Amino acid sequence: MPGIFWVVPAAGVITVIFAILLARNVLKRSMGTPEMKEIGDIIFQAAWAFLKRQYTTIAIYSVAIAIIIGVLVGVLGGTEVQGLSPLDIGWRTGVAFLVGAVCSAVAGFIGMYIAVKSNVRCAAAAQKSLTEAVNVALRGGAVSGFLITALSLIGVTVIFFAYGGASNPQIAPHLIVGFGFGASFVALFAQLGGGIYTKAADVGADLVGKVEAGIPEDDPRNPAVIADLVGDNVGDCAGRGADLFESTAAENIGAMILGIAAYVATGNIAWILFPLCVRGFGMIASMIGIFFVRAKENENAMDALNRGYFVAIALSIVGLAITVHFMLGNWWLFGAGVIGIAASVVIVFITQYYTESRYKPVRSIAEASKTGPATNIIMGTAVGFETTLATALVIGLSLLLSFWMGHMSGVHGAFGTAVATMGMLMTCPYVLSMDTFGPITDNANGINEMAGAGPEVRKVTDRLDAVGNTTKALTKGYAMVSAGLAAFLLFQAYLDRVSFIKFGESGMYNIVDIARIEVFVGALLAVMIVFLFSSWAIKAVGKAASKIIEEVRRQFRADPGILAGTSKPDYAKAVDITTRAGLREMIAPGLLVVLGPIIIGVVFRFIPGYDAAMAVAAVLMVGTIGGIMMASYMNNGGGAWDNAKKMIEDGQLKDDEGNVIGKGSPTHAAAVVGDTVGDPLKDTAGPSLHVLVKLLATVTLVMCPLFIIV
Amino acid sequence: MPGIFWVVPAAGVITVIFAILLARNVLKRSMGTPEMKEIGDIIFQAAWAFLKRQYTTIAIYSVAIAIIIGVLVGVLGGTEVQGLSPLDIGWRTGVAFLVGAVCSAVAGFIGMYIAVKSNVRCAAAAQKSLTEAVNVALRGGAVSGFLITALSLIGVTVIFFAYGGASNPQIAPHLIVGFGFGASFVALFAQLGGGIYTKAADVGADLVGKVEAGIPEDDPRNPAVIADLVGDNVGDCAGRGADLFESTAAENIGAMILGIAAYVATGNIAWILFPLCVRGFGMIASMIGIFFVRAKENENAMDALNRGYFVAIALSIVGLAITVHFMLGNWWLFGAGVIGIAASVVIVFITQYYTESRYKPVRSIAEASKTGPATNIIMGTAVGFETTLATALVIGLSLLLSFWMGHMSGVHGAFGTAVATMGMLMTCPYVLSMDTFGPITDNANGINEMAGAGPEVRKVTDRLDAVGNTTKALTKGYAMVSAGLAAFLLFQAYLDRVSFIKFGESGMYNIVDIARIEVFVGALLAVMIVFLFSSWAIKAVGKAASKIIEEVRRQFRADPGILAGTSKPDYAKAVDITTRAGLREMIAPGLLVVLGPIIIGVVFRFIPGYDAAMAVAAVLMVGTIGGIMMASYMNNGGGAWDNAKKMIEDGQLKDDEGNVIGKGSPTHAAAVVGDTVGDPLKDTAGPSLHVLVKLLATVTLVMCPLFIIV
């Protein structure tokens, strides 16, 4: 065991302590006026209603899937691997799945718990100063960001050693792939369910409350208002948290599988442990970055967050250099890691270009709104489609360069892309903290609005809310590109695993020939799955919203005191209905992604002459391409629509004579249509597509014994 | 030469005579009242303005491209093929390109000429009876449909023999690939330019005329009204005609290349000539089908068209059986052909399901319009995305089954998919006739509206217009699935050609390994190109529309007599501006598709260790998948939006109390937004994507010498 490996447990323990200290720091703060405290309590109570329901459902499905995986792999796998019978592999995979699922669930649970505790405190802090509010929001966000990555690191490390990583390092990564699958399975539930929840609540609350009953947004009389506020946490905190938990876990495992070849050749276990150590340094770098965030009263809070981010980036590069020096001594691989870090910085600027009102894309959508909703939608679609250019170039160039460096390093090209992915994900805890900053400030703004805080205070939280919107958009870009980078490494892991099962250690299975008919059809079906999944996810928002509309109407009818303000609406009921609807609606798209590749693989396995494992590889690869391009369109297009509307609301759009076209104008109404269309794209389907991409990888990685005829 | 080959020249000559007779039959008919004659003349004059401008531009570009191709292939190709120097190959390819371009242009020209002559005669015939009107519209459409396919068959046959097909049949198909490229190059101009033209004129005429000036739709005082009427012909007649001309040509050439292997093995030239003969029988079958269309006064005209279609289908199967019996004697290949024919029938039903108001998808969009434009767009997007399921299943199953039959036949799996494509395209002349039926009846309806015909007559043309909308939608589905089927055959032709250039006749180059980094990145870029092309095409409509809006406003300002009805607006000017704008805006997306694969191939060629030809193959294959899925979304989604609006206008939507929600309601306004959004998707970007898919194939087929290091 290389001495530097101690950074892993050390970073894990320090990070957990760091998160606990942050959490205590946040929790001991003031919750403001009794009114604010009450609203905070209501959100907390509602969040509980959601968590209870969501994790019950997830637990049932997870246990069922774990058993199914264990049995399928155990019974149908049919291949003896190094003294382990298929049955042994089966139960280990099933248990690993459950552990991954539990870790992911715990991460999401803690993250959201702290987030909903932080929002009211952030609202209270905003009454003192901007600096204090930034501190609360960022620290609250950091609890979630750091705990999630720590759990990922600790989880993978523990299960690796538990499954004999110390004695049989070349086997253990194959046994722990279930962990990644479990993590992505829960991530899909969290992101898709959360995404449907948040947008359904948003649309439902607005349509009945604002349009039908004529009460303002975020009014406490609206039974769905709490569901709406809870939704922000559910979609952005829990959803994106699970997404990136899954990224870090799956990427770690994939990179470890890629390292096996170098381990077998050199006998040096450093090749397998390297990803864990890089992650450890990344966590420490991110932690120090957080300390550097000192917001100033008159400064854009985004600048303060960026300072900390660049400190984290710089320290990550140092940490990468140290790890490479002590473990591999190969500077080409350092170069590959730097490529990954650079890609994460570039994507931040690209996302800003496409989603900020300073630049042409958002302005063109706002301009197009002048001729009505149709031209707004056409222009927004065109902008969203166009963003695929930048996304594809960043991912394509990063892959080509890091692969080349991996090749030059003498190890393997794909190992270069693995190191690039690790480099990119080093700052993951920091990015996640910034992401969770978003819903906390969003909620804080809502709480201040409901509690009737003065315009001074509202100005502070409004400013923070705008920063939160930017950080949320950036995180989506980051998650998307990291999914793209991780993809190539995960295919290679898949091919390595197929090769290992088919031929043992000496085998070679590294061609995915898309000119074969079944492989081509697999690729075609994969892109279709991306479209179909998106279709169902979008439609689910509509269906769930209609359930909420019915419930809100019912409460208004049943108790006229609600609208009169004399009796309290049943928030928990609306939350529960949203939760049920959200979770029910996510089952079909979720099953599509989990079962699609398995069905293709199993059906093709029984057709003579077909190479089912290869067809599934094409499903994975081309599905990834389709998924990332579609996500680029949805995330960036949705963000651009949102900010085009905000730009008009801020009075930045003028007519030919120079008069401001503002809120309430037909142009604004057209922009609102675009924003509403963009909502399910950017907050439901788009982010779920990242998870889809990685779930495709983990489900095929775990299930590949089913597709192979030995 | 097999005796049955005489069906090719015979079918060619008979078809041309048939088309001339039909044209004479149509042209000698009455043009109705002097008013109608005048409007007809105006449209004709405007169509001339368009044709002149469009074909001048296309000619310049074509000559330039022909020279560039000749030089590039001649100088950079660097491979001697069977006694032909690269220079010999170069100039032959360039000339073939020009011949293909000229044939395609001539086909489009004649087709549109007859269509714009038929519309006024159809309007006049409608004053007598529905039967007469159907006859005129179908015969006018058939002139175009049959001439286009005849030109494709004759063109490919002549150039095949001119380039030594009789003495060196294994070389000639390689020399005529330029013909397919020329055809698809012009098709791209025709479809994209036409698509931008028609939708820009539509949006421009409506926004200034209806919204600003307050005059009704199709009012003769609107300077853009003729551009709008011309646009229907440009987009649907010329555009789709060029698209299917190109399909039939490229597919013929691809199938002939695939037949070379069997020819070399058996010495029987029938394997190379087979595609031509199948086409010949298909033309005769379609011709007889046309004779069976006898509309009855009280019948839905669609039923009459369907009768003829099914006769054409049945006779095609007989023709296929005869060809297989006399030329190949291999009944597995007959089976493959039947698969293709069946696929064309299935796609008709699927398209109807997704775009007719009888079924759930369109109804769900109409329902969603009740809550405003945003929910209408969300639902329409979801429906459009969902259609990829059916499209992918039809294409995927057809490919798997026909490939299997090809394999069982003992020739090659891909030859099975080639025969399936040929089978599917047998009825192409008939389908094209039905397609052109659409804009003729659409124009006839507009002419009757402008000429103030009575409600009885309007009812006839209204009914025909609705049928025309259906046939247009069906043709898009047909073009899309045939592009999908042809794709696999075209990749194989590409691989065969690379193999031939790299290794000569004995070579084998048949693996496209997407697990290689440069191949994967090529695939990623290909899907990006599909999104970017769509983005630019959609944006182009917006830009061109704004030019028209300016011109119409200018004419209204310059001569107040126009709105007063005392002076005639300058229709030709509006048409010319639309044409210029349309053609200018199509250059960027067009170049993207032509240059994209070439740049990827040439750049990768100079990077050591990369297999550029393989990366380009992935661009072709995965670009095809992305293009077809995107086209499925756009064509069907756009059609569904259109018919959801029509459904509301027809009074088919009701509220909870059973009251009709009709024209002028907010629900209708929301549905109009969806229709406007769908317009550039279904009439500009979507149909252009079919051409993109085939252009990818022909450009790579022609340019592949550039990507190969021998």
Side-chain angles (χ1 to χ4, degrees):
Chain A
M1 191 75 58
I4 197 174
F5 183 73
W6 290 104
V7 73
V8 175
V13 170
I14 293 173
T15 305
V16 171
I17 293 172
F18 175 68
I20 292 173
L21 290 177
L22 286 180
R24 285 183 51 182
N25 176 294
V26 169
L27 291 176
K28 74 170 187 228
R29 282 167 190 258
S30 152
M31 295 173 77
T33 65
E35 247 177 319
M36 290 167 66
K37 192 172 172 320
E38 194 199 333
I39 298 164
D41 283 346
I42 292 171
I43 296 180
F44 181 73
Q45 170 198 333
W48 262 113
F50 172 74
L51 284 181
K52 209 173 135 190
R53 182 99 210 134
Q54 189 182 40
Y55 286 101
T56 310
T57 311
I58 292 180
I60 295 167
Y61 276 88
S62 297
V63 170
I65 293 277
I67 294 170
I68 293 170
I69 291 172
V71 171
L72 277 181
V73 172
V75 175
L76 291 180
T79 322
E80 186 89 6
V81 174
Q82 298 238 341
L84 290 171
S85 75
L87 220 61
D88 286 332
I89 304 176
W91 75 257
R92 279 184 174 81
T93 308
V95 169
F97 175 92
L98 270 187
V99 175
V102 168
C103 284
S104 178
V106 168
F109 172 80
I110 298 175
M112 211 179 88
Y113 179 87
I114 297 296
V116 292
K117 286 283 179 191
S118 307
N119 51 20
V120 63
R121 290 166 173 89
C122 175
Q127 303 190 332
K128 289 188 220 155
S129 73
L130 179 91
T131 318
E132 279 300 292
V134 169
N135 278 343
V136 174
L138 185 64
R139 286 177 193 176
V143 174
S144 162
F146 282 82
L147 272 186
I148 285 171
T149 28
L151 263 174
S152 160
L153 182 64
I154 296 170
V156 172
T157 308
V158 167
I159 199 157
F160 173 75
F161 286 105
Y163 279 6
S167 50
N168 265 323
Q170 76 277 35
I171 305 288
H174 289 284
L175 299 175
I176 66 175
V177 290
F179 184 87
F181 185 22
S184 37
F185 186 82
V186 172
L188 190 74
F189 266 77
Q191 180 68 68
L192 186 55
I196 295 170
Y197 184 112
T198 176
K199 289 303 123 180
D202 195 1
V203 172
D206 282 3
L207 279 183
V208 192
K210 276 161 72 176
V211 180
E212 291 185 13
I215 53 179
E217 192 165 347
D218 285 342
D219 191 290
R221 287 171 292 176
N222 191 332
V225 68
I226 296 295
D228 191 5
L229 287 171
V230 171
D232 294 331
N233 297 297
V234 172
D236 291 320
C237 301
R240 196 100 55 260
D243 178 0
L244 285 170
F245 173 82
E246 195 274 313
S247 276
T248 53
E251 174 269 327
N252 253 348
I253 294 168
M256 288 164 88
I257 290 181
L258 290 196
I260 293 175
Y263 163 74
V264 170
T266 61
N268 182 0
I269 198 176
W271 291 100
I272 296 180
L273 299 180
F274 177 74
L276 300 172
C277 298
V278 170
R279 176 63 37 78
F281 276 106
M283 278 160 60
I284 294 170
S286 299
M287 215 180 295
I288 299 174
I290 292 282
F291 285 115
F292 272 80
V293 180
R294 294 263 174 265
K296 291 169 199 145
E297 236 14 74
N298 299 318
E299 181 193 45
N300 184 341
M302 195 65 219
D303 294 337
L305 294 180
N306 276 338
R307 266 202 304 281
Y309 183 51
F310 283 107
V311 168
I313 290 275
L315 290 177
S316 292
I317 294 176
V318 174
L320 183 70
I322 294 172
T323 330
V324 168
H325 175 72
F326 284 104
M327 294 189 89
L328 312 179
N330 190 319
W331 292 95
W332 283 108
L333 294 176
F334 172 71
V338 171
I339 295 287
I341 295 175
S344 69
V345 176
V346 170
I347 200 68
V348 164
F349 288 106
I350 291 173
T351 308
Q352 290 187 346
Y353 174 73
Y354 277 111
T355 56
E356 289 193 0
S357 59
R358 288 182 275 170
Y359 304 104
K360 207 181 138 198
V362 170
R363 297 200 157 264
S364 69
I365 297 175
E367 283 292 330
S369 311
K370 288 178 180 172
T371 37
T375 39
N376 166 289
I377 299 289
I378 290 172
M379 188 54 84
T381 305
V383 165
F385 282 179
E386 196 177 285
T387 65
T388 57
L389 173 64
T391 305
L393 287 182
V394 171
I395 294 175
L397 273 178
S398 307
L399 282 179
L400 290 178
L401 284 174
S402 59
F403 191 90
W404 174 69
M405 289 183 177
H407 179 72
M408 296 304 288
S409 76
V411 186
H412 186 271
F415 199 75
T417 66
V419 178
T421 314
M422 291 173 220
M424 179 158 196
L425 288 174
M426 283 181 88
T427 53
C428 182
Y430 192 93
V431 172
L432 256 180
S433 307
M434 287 208 292
D435 183 58
T436 310
F437 180 94
I440 291 175
T441 53
D442 191 352
N443 267 239
N445 197 16
I447 291 172
N448 274 337
E449 202 159 342
M450 284 174 77
E456 280 303 300
V457 176
R458 287 294 316 284
K459 215 171 157 188
V460 170
T461 45
D462 251 353
R463 273 169 68 192
L464 288 186
D465 191 16
V467 172
N469 276 332
T470 304
T471 61
K472 278 190 284 186
L474 299 183
T475 315
K476 279 179 214 155
Y478 179 83
M480 196 170 64
V481 170
S482 71
L485 272 185
F488 199 75
L489 122 83
L490 289 168
F491 317 151
Q492 294 295 338
Y494 171 83
L495 293 177
D496 276 13
R497 186 160 151 77
V498 172
S499 165
F500 184 79
I501 293 174
K502 229 174 147 98
F503 307 111
E505 270 163 37
S506 61
M508 275 291 273
Y509 185 90
N510 58 3
I511 285 176
V512 180
D513 179 13
I514 198 175
R516 289 176 67 116
I517 191 82
E518 77 276 21
V519 180
F520 179 75
V521 171
L524 172 71
L525 295 177
V527 178
M528 179 274 283
I529 288 176
V530 168
F531 276 88
L532 191 59
F533 174 84
S534 305
S535 165
W536 288 355
I538 296 170
K539 222 185 263 179
V541 173
K543 284 196 205 166
S546 74
K547 302 266 173 214
I548 297 156
I549 291 174
E550 281 167 27
E551 168 63 16
V552 174
R553 285 181 183 156
R554 190 195 61 75
Q555 290 201 22
F556 282 159
R557 269 199 313 270
D559 182 357
I562 293 177
L563 268 177
T566 51
S567 49
K568 230 171 87 174
D570 186 353
Y571 299 126
K573 179 85 185 166
V575 168
D576 190 57
I577 283 177
T578 318
T579 307
R580 282 166 188 268
L583 293 178
R584 186 174 46 240
E585 293 300 334
M586 60 142 297
I587 288 171
L591 285 184
L592 173 71
V593 182
V594 176
L595 297 183
I598 298 177
I599 291 173
I600 294 171
V602 171
V603 169
F604 282 7
R605 178 193 171 157
F606 290 104
I607 298 177
Y610 282 8
D611 188 333
M614 197 186 276
V616 171
V619 170
L620 170 55
M621 292 179 176
V622 180
T624 297
I625 291 175
I628 289 175
M629 294 292 92
M630 186 69 106
S632 177
Y633 149 54
M634 292 182 160
N635 290 340
N636 293 321
W641 265 312
D642 191 349
N643 281 333
K645 183 200 68 173
K646 289 216 170 87
M647 185 184 149
I648 294 173
E649 289 174 352
D650 292 350
Q652 292 182 55
L653 188 72
K654 290 176 181 154
D655 65 13
D656 292 344
E657 278 96 44
N659 305 313
V660 168
I661 303 173
K663 226 169 168 167
S665 64
T667 303
H668 178 242
V672 169
V673 171
D675 181 38
T676 312
V677 169
D679 268 350
L681 300 186
K682 77 174 198 300
D683 290 324
T684 310
S688 300
L689 283 170
H690 310 154
V691 189
L692 175 147
V693 161
K694 281 167 293 176
L695 189 67
L696 280 181
T698 53
V699 73
T700 53
L701 202 53
V702 170
M703 291 304 189
C704 71
L706 303 189
F707 316 140
I708 299 168
I709 309 161
V710 187
Chain B
M1 193 74 58
I4 198 174
F5 184 74
W6 290 105
V7 74
V8 176
V13 171
I14 294 172
T15 304
V16 172
I17 295 172
F18 175 68
I20 292 173
L21 291 177
L22 285 180
R24 286 184 51 183
N25 177 292
V26 170
L27 290 176
K28 73 169 189 227
R29 281 165 192 260
S30 154
M31 294 171 76
T33 67
E35 248 176 318
M36 290 167 65
K37 191 175 173 320
E38 194 199 332
I39 297 165
D41 283 345
I42 292 171
I43 295 179
F44 181 72
Q45 171 198 334
W48 263 114
F50 172 73
L51 284 181
K52 211 173 132 190
R53 182 98 212 135
Q54 188 181 41
Y55 286 102
T56 310
T57 312
I58 292 179
I60 295 168
Y61 275 88
S62 297
V63 170
I65 293 276
I67 294 171
I68 293 170
I69 291 172
V71 171
L72 277 182
V73 172
V75 175
L76 290 181
T79 322
E80 185 90 6
V81 174
Q82 297 235 343
L84 289 171
S85 73
L87 219 62
D88 287 333
I89 304 176
W91 76 256
R92 279 185 173 81
T93 308
V95 169
F97 176 92
L98 271 187
V99 175
V102 168
C103 284
S104 177
V106 168
F109 173 79
I110 298 175
M112 212 179 86
Y113 178 89
I114 297 296
V116 291
K117 287 282 180 191
S118 307
N119 50 21
V120 62
R121 291 168 173 86
C122 176
Q127 304 190 330
K128 289 189 220 155
S129 72
L130 180 90
T131 319
E132 280 299 292
V134 169
N135 279 341
V136 175
L138 185 64
R139 286 177 193 177
V143 174
S144 163
F146 281 84
L147 272 186
I148 285 171
T149 28
L151 264 173
S152 161
L153 183 63
I154 296 170
V156 171
T157 309
V158 167
I159 200 157
F160 174 74
F161 286 106
Y163 280 5
S167 50
N168 264 324
Q170 76 277 35
I171 305 288
H174 289 285
L175 299 174
I176 66 175
V177 288
F179 184 89
F181 184 21
S184 37
F185 186 82
V186 173
L188 190 74
F189 266 76
Q191 181 67 68
L192 186 54
I196 295 171
Y197 183 112
T198 178
K199 287 304 125 180
D202 196 1
V203 172
D206 282 3
L207 279 184
V208 192
K210 277 162 70 175
V211 180
E212 290 185 12
I215 54 179
E217 191 164 348
D218 286 341
D219 190 292
R221 288 170 291 175
N222 191 331
V225 68
I226 297 296
D228 191 6
L229 286 172
V230 171
D232 294 332
N233 296 297
V234 173
D236 291 321
C237 299
R240 196 100 57 260
D243 178 1
L244 285 170
F245 173 82
E246 193 276 312
S247 275
T248 54
E251 172 270 326
N252 253 345
I253 295 168
M256 288 165 88
I257 290 182
L258 290 197
I260 292 176
Y263 163 74
V264 170
T266 62
N268 182 1
I269 197 176
W271 290 101
I272 296 179
L273 299 179
F274 177 73
L276 300 171
C277 299
V278 170
R279 177 64 37 78
F281 276 106
M283 279 159 60
I284 295 169
S286 299
M287 215 179 296
I288 299 172
I290 292 282
F291 285 114
F292 272 80
V293 180
R294 294 261 173 268
K296 292 169 198 146
E297 231 23 68
N298 298 320
E299 179 193 45
N300 184 341
M302 195 65 220
D303 293 338
L305 294 179
N306 276 337
R307 266 201 305 280
Y309 182 52
F310 283 106
V311 169
I313 290 275
L315 290 176
S316 291
I317 294 174
V318 174
L320 183 70
I322 295 171
T323 330
V324 166
H325 176 72
F326 283 105
M327 295 188 89
L328 311 180
N330 189 319
W331 293 95
W332 283 108
L333 294 175
F334 171 72
V338 172
I339 294 288
I341 295 174
S344 70
V345 176
V346 170
I347 201 68
V348 163
F349 288 107
I350 290 173
T351 310
Q352 289 186 347
Y353 174 73
Y354 277 112
T355 57
E356 288 193 0
S357 59
R358 288 181 276 168
Y359 303 103
K360 206 182 141 199
V362 170
R363 296 198 159 264
S364 68
I365 297 176
E367 283 292 331
S369 311
K370 288 179 180 171
T371 37
T375 39
N376 167 290
I377 300 289
I378 290 172
M379 188 53 85
T381 304
V383 166
F385 281 178
E386 194 177 288
T387 65
T388 58
L389 173 64
T391 305
L393 287 183
V394 171
I395 294 175
L397 273 178
S398 307
L399 282 178
L400 291 178
L401 284 175
S402 60
F403 191 91
W404 173 68
M405 289 183 177
H407 179 74
M408 295 305 288
S409 76
V411 186
H412 185 270
F415 200 75
T417 67
V419 177
T421 315
M422 292 172 220
M424 179 158 196
L425 289 174
M426 283 181 89
T427 52
C428 181
Y430 192 92
V431 173
L432 256 180
S433 308
M434 287 208 292
D435 182 57
T436 311
F437 180 94
I440 292 176
T441 53
D442 191 352
N443 266 237
N445 198 16
I447 291 171
N448 274 338
E449 202 160 340
M450 284 175 78
E456 280 303 299
V457 176
R458 288 292 315 286
K459 215 171 157 187
V460 170
T461 46
D462 251 354
R463 273 171 67 191
L464 287 185
D465 191 14
V467 172
N469 277 333
T470 304
T471 63
K472 279 191 284 185
L474 298 183
T475 315
K476 279 179 215 154
Y478 179 82
M480 195 169 67
V481 171
S482 72
L485 272 186
F488 199 74
L489 121 83
L490 289 167
F491 318 149
Q492 295 295 336
Y494 171 84
L495 293 178
D496 276 13
R497 186 161 150 76
V498 172
S499 165
F500 184 77
I501 293 173
K502 229 175 146 98
F503 307 109
E505 270 163 36
S506 60
M508 273 293 271
Y509 184 90
N510 59 3
I511 285 177
V512 180
D513 177 14
I514 198 173
R516 290 176 66 115
I517 191 84
E518 76 276 21
V519 180
F520 178 75
V521 172
L524 173 70
L525 295 177
V527 178
M528 180 272 283
I529 287 175
V530 167
F531 275 89
L532 190 59
F533 174 85
S534 304
S535 165
W536 289 355
I538 296 169
K539 224 185 260 179
V541 173
K543 284 195 202 167
S546 74
K547 303 265 174 215
I548 298 156
I549 292 174
E550 282 167 25
E551 168 63 16
V552 175
R553 285 180 183 157
R554 190 196 61 76
Q555 289 200 23
F556 282 160
R557 270 198 312 270
D559 182 357
I562 294 177
L563 269 178
T566 52
S567 49
K568 227 172 88 175
D570 187 355
Y571 299 128
K573 180 83 186 165
V575 168
D576 190 57
I577 283 176
T578 319
T579 308
R580 283 168 188 267
L583 292 179
R584 187 174 44 242
E585 294 300 335
M586 62 142 293
I587 289 172
L591 287 183
L592 173 71
V593 181
V594 175
L595 297 183
I598 298 177
I599 291 173
I600 294 171
V602 170
V603 168
F604 282 6
R605 178 195 170 155
F606 290 105
I607 298 178
Y610 282 9
D611 189 332
M614 196 186 275
V616 172
V619 170
L620 170 56
M621 293 177 176
V622 180
T624 298
I625 292 175
I628 290 174
M629 292 293 93
M630 186 70 106
S632 177
Y633 149 53
M634 291 182 160
N635 290 340
N636 294 322
W641 265 312
D642 190 349
N643 282 335
K645 181 199 71 172
K646 289 217 169 89
M647 185 185 150
I648 293 173
E649 289 174 353
D650 291 350
Q652 291 181 57
L653 188 72
K654 289 177 182 152
D655 65 14
D656 292 343
E657 277 96 44
N659 306 313
V660 168
I661 302 174
K663 226 169 169 165
S665 63
T667 303
H668 178 243
V672 169
V673 171
D675 181 38
T676 312
V677 169
D679 268 349
L681 300 187
K682 78 175 196 298
D683 290 324
T684 311
S688 301
L689 283 170
H690 310 154
V691 190
L692 176 147
V693 161
K694 282 169 291 177
L695 189 67
L696 280 181
T698 55
V699 73
T700 52
L701 203 52
V702 170
M703 291 305 189
C704 71
L706 304 189
F707 316 138
I708 299 168
I709 309 163
V710 185

